Amino acid sequence: MIFYAQDMVLEPVRDVFDGPENSVSICRDLQSPIGAHYTLLVVKDRNIAKRLTAIFGNSERVLPKGVLPYAACFTQNAFLCYLFDYREERKIGLFAPGQIISAKDWESVCVNLVLECLSSPVPFPLLALSLEQDNVHLEKDGTVFLTPYYDLSRLSEDNDEAVCARKCAELMLSLIETRGRLKSAELMHKKLAKNAFRSLPELYRDIKVTEIPEKKKFTERLRGFRRRNRDRFFAVLLFVCVAAAIFALVVLISQLLFGNIPILRIFERCFDTIGTRSLR
């Protein structure tokens, strides 16, 4: 089925999910000269469509003027459609075991995950779906991104920021066995047991406060030492240059007045000749 949105002609090239309430597919814009791809969310259920419209309209997220959490929204036939930008998947569950090889790597990925959740423009009920439905992806450089591959049958308006923070922590702890070795992981376990998470910034602070200090490389330490002492280095270099200039001036004057350089006599064998006797 071809979909029409604004000046785009969207042809589905891959089905990601198909359920009674909604479907998700990857589409290619036939009007695009570069063959741009998008993620298309098609809402089939009218009740879900009304709830989703209300969720987008009443989102707690504060977005810049003119910025929307989706690329386009349109209707076709009896369906409500949302269009999102497409990114190639790298599911965190598949790639994390190969990329997270140390506790520091785990904490870095955790920080990136929380930052992605904080910067995501989608409302919290949809963010919760991404976190619980394996829609979190890990790039090669350790950055994290989310995909809108939602199964809307599990949509709940009660999933607020606290729920997202809790699901985020649960996902982090599932990536690697860290209990008993990391303060950040221990703190997450304790707060999850008490259901104490209230916000994503709180989770971010917990990780940053308890994370392992990063060991600086030798070149970084050397660069930092040079940056801290550059004024002192400049003063020493200036003194050496001035002293060298004064010495050169004295040597020049001695050469002009005496025909030689007296100060260089200290490097000669002064005791080779004593009076009329030679030691050679």
Side-chain angles (χ1 to χ4, degrees), residues 3-277:
F3 292 85
Y4 301 90
Q6 299 172 358
D7 57 347
M8 294 180 284
V9 179
L10 303 169
E11 177 188 34
V13 295
R14 178 165 64 91
D15 292 330
V16 178
F17 171 79
D18 189 15
E21 286 81 9
N22 72 285
S23 64
V24 179
S25 59
I26 308 303
C27 296
R28 178 180 59 205
D29 181 11
L30 299 179
Q31 296 290 90
S32 171
I34 60 174
H37 285 66
Y38 296 91
T39 300
L40 179 64
L41 173 68
V42 179
V43 185
K44 308 172 186 177
D45 186 274
R46 290 188 177 182
N47 182 49
I48 293 290
K50 291 179 181 179
R51 292 170 57 195
L52 191 58
T53 302
I55 288 173
F56 277 119
N58 302 321
S59 175
E60 298 178 19
R61 295 298 185 104
V62 178
L63 302 178
K65 187 176 181 180
V67 175
L68 296 172
Y70 44 80
C73 176
F74 61 97
T75 58
Q76 183 159 318
N77 299 333
F79 302 142
L80 175 63
C81 305
Y82 288 95
L83 198 64
F84 301 88
D85 293 327
Y86 170 74
R87 292 182 67 172
E88 186 176 355
E89 301 91 339
R90 292 187 93 251
K91 289 185 179 295
I92 197 168
L94 296 177
F95 290 92
Q99 290 186 224
I100 301 177
I101 57 178
S102 68
K104 187 61 184 176
D105 292 338
W106 178 79
E107 288 182 333
S108 177
V109 171
C110 289
V111 168
N112 290 337
L113 174 57
V114 179
L115 290 176
E116 176 63 19
C117 291
L118 284 168
S119 61
S120 174
V122 301
F124 292 123
L126 293 178
L127 178 61
L129 288 182
S130 288
L131 293 170
E132 70 180 30
Q133 294 181 352
D134 197 22
N135 290 331
V136 181
H137 305 267
L138 180 64
E139 291 282 20
K140 294 179 180 179
D141 61 357
T143 56
V144 176
F145 67 94
L146 308 172
T147 49
Y149 302 163
Y150 307 123
D151 175 5
L152 296 178
S153 65
R154 302 173 64 181
L155 181 65
S156 174
E157 290 84 347
D158 295 331
N159 286 342
D160 56 7
E161 185 177 5
V163 172
C164 291
R166 186 165 64 250
K167 291 183 180 296
C168 194
E170 291 171 347
L171 176 58
M172 292 174 187
L173 293 174
S174 70
L175 297 178
I176 188 174
E177 180 53 48
T178 56
R179 188 162 191 167
R181 292 188 292 157
L182 282 176
K183 292 181 179 180
S184 52
E186 281 297 300
L187 182 57
M188 284 185 205
H189 278 294
K190 292 177 181 179
K191 298 189 76 168
L192 280 174
K194 298 178 180 179
N195 195 23
F197 284 112
R198 293 292 175 266
S199 68
L200 291 167
E202 175 190 351
L203 177 58
Y204 176 82
R205 288 193 300 269
D206 289 345
I207 300 172
K208 295 299 289 184
V209 168
T210 57
E211 71 177 342
I212 301 172
E214 185 176 0
K215 294 181 180 179
K216 294 183 178 180
K217 296 180 180 179
F218 174 76
T219 54
E220 293 176 349
R221 293 198 299 268
L222 183 62
R223 193 180 299 114
F225 175 79
R226 183 181 62 186
R227 185 167 52 250
R228 292 191 300 271
N229 297 278
R230 59 186 176 185
D231 292 339
R232 186 178 302 173
F233 290 154
F234 177 77
V236 172
L237 181 61
L238 181 62
F239 174 78
V240 171
C241 291
V242 171
I246 294 175
F247 177 76
L249 183 62
V250 170
V251 168
L252 178 62
I253 294 175
S254 298
Q255 183 69 32
L256 293 175
L257 295 179
F258 305 109
N260 59 19
I261 306 173
I263 195 171
L264 296 182
R265 292 175 185 173
I266 62 176
F267 301 106
E268 297 179 355
R269 295 180 178 180
C270 301
F271 296 100
D272 285 353
T273 304
I274 304 176
T276 59
R277 292 205 176 258

